[in-house]
Amino acid sequence: MNRPPDSRVCRFIWCALVGFFRPRASLEAEILVLRHQLTVLRRKSPKRSTFSKFDRLIFAGLYGLAPNMLSALAIVKAETVIGWHRAGFRLYWRWKSRSPGGRPKLSADSRKLIRDISLANPLWGGPRIHGELLKLGIDVGQTTVAKYMARNRRPPSQGWKTFLRNHADGIASMDLFVLPTISFKLLYGLLILKHGWREILCLSATGHPSAEWISRQLTEAYG
């Protein structure tokens, strides 16, 4: 995290502003003194210097105002300052040309038209309404049309459990099964169960089942 500029940086900026109104000879003498001090500091501090974002902003701004200042650099290379300036230039234009993002908003009249068409034609889906809007010269996506269509609130349909409970008196289950006898013969049984009262309407068996036999059992069970 970068620290705010300290008093030394503010003093440097103030001296730079005051320097515009000082005599040229005095400025050149001060520049020589500052360069000599930088030379001494470089001899005593061989390590690589670190610069904050504020420092980079100052160097890049001065380079933009006066490109000839590159010859006066002592603690940083000219290529580094040029790279900072170009990076700032890219960041500025990237921010300047940023996209607001998202799709353009649909006008209120178009939204109302989509809703009115969907209400007047409940059987029309999104593709049909989308095609009609294109005929009218309204360029809008199909997903946008589906988003603004009126939703017909229908009562929720009942589930199978509710359906069976409501119609249990009129529903019966039937099962045809095989019964092996003690003499190793097969009998075919038919069970008809009424769901309303769990009542057995038919329980019979035969050795030769047929469609006529099953039909007769159903007739006898239901009348």
Side-chain angles (χ1 to χ4, degrees):
M1 183 175 181
N2 296 324
R3 298 179 178 178
D6 52 12
S7 58
R8 289 176 298 178
V9 176
C10 296
R11 182 180 178 184
F12 168 77
I13 298 175
W14 172 254
C15 291
L17 294 176
V18 174
F20 286 104
F21 305 98
R22 296 175 60 184
R24 185 175 181 83
S26 177
L27 291 176
E28 291 181 354
E30 184 174 354
I31 290 174
L32 291 176
V33 172
L34 291 175
R35 286 186 176 181
H36 182 69
Q37 291 178 3
L38 288 175
T39 303
V40 175
L41 290 175
R42 290 182 62 184
R43 289 199 303 263
K44 292 184 177 181
S45 302
K47 296 182 180 180
R48 182 178 180 181
S49 303
T50 57
F51 300 92
S52 64
K53 291 183 178 181
F54 185 76
D55 298 331
R56 298 179 183 183
L57 179 62
I58 290 179
F59 280 111
L62 292 176
Y63 171 72
L65 295 176
N68 295 330
M69 55 84 65
L70 295 177
S71 59
L73 295 176
I75 61 175
V76 63
K77 294 182 179 180
E79 294 80 4
T80 304
V81 175
I82 295 175
W84 292 343
H85 183 267
R86 291 177 178 176
F89 187 81
R90 288 193 299 267
L91 288 175
Y92 172 77
W93 284 107
R94 187 179 300 150
W95 172 81
K96 193 74 173 179
S97 59
R98 68 188 186 280
S99 174
R103 299 180 179 178
K105 293 184 178 180
L106 195 64
S107 63
D109 295 337
S110 299
R111 295 198 299 267
K112 184 176 183 301
L113 179 60
I114 294 173
R115 182 175 179 83
D116 293 342
I117 293 176
S118 61
L119 290 175
N121 304 275
L123 299 180
W124 287 12
R128 177 69 182 275
I129 298 178
H130 177 246
E132 297 296 328
L133 292 175
L134 291 179
K135 294 178 183 178
L136 297 176
I138 301 177
D139 188 9
V140 62
Q142 183 174 330
T143 55
T144 305
V145 173
K147 177 181 178 181
Y148 293 108
M149 286 177 57
R151 300 290 184 267
N152 295 327
R153 295 186 175 275
R154 300 177 181 177
S157 59
Q158 58 183 352
W160 280 109
K161 184 177 181 180
T162 306
F163 176 80
L164 294 175
R165 184 172 61 250
N166 294 337
H167 302 278
D169 294 339
I171 299 176
S173 60
M174 181 176 63
D175 186 22
L176 185 65
F177 53 92
V178 179
L179 292 173
T181 64
I182 194 172
S183 60
F184 301 104
K185 293 183 180 180
L186 297 179
L187 292 178
Y188 298 90
L190 177 65
L191 173 64
I192 300 177
L193 178 66
K194 187 177 182 180
H195 281 206
W197 297 95
R198 307 295 170 86
E199 178 184 357
I200 297 177
L201 300 179
C202 174
L203 179 58
S204 58
T206 181
H208 303 283
S210 61
E212 292 78 6
W213 179 78
I214 296 177
S215 178
R216 185 170 63 253
Q217 301 302 320
L218 290 174
T219 303
E220 292 176 358
Y222 282 98

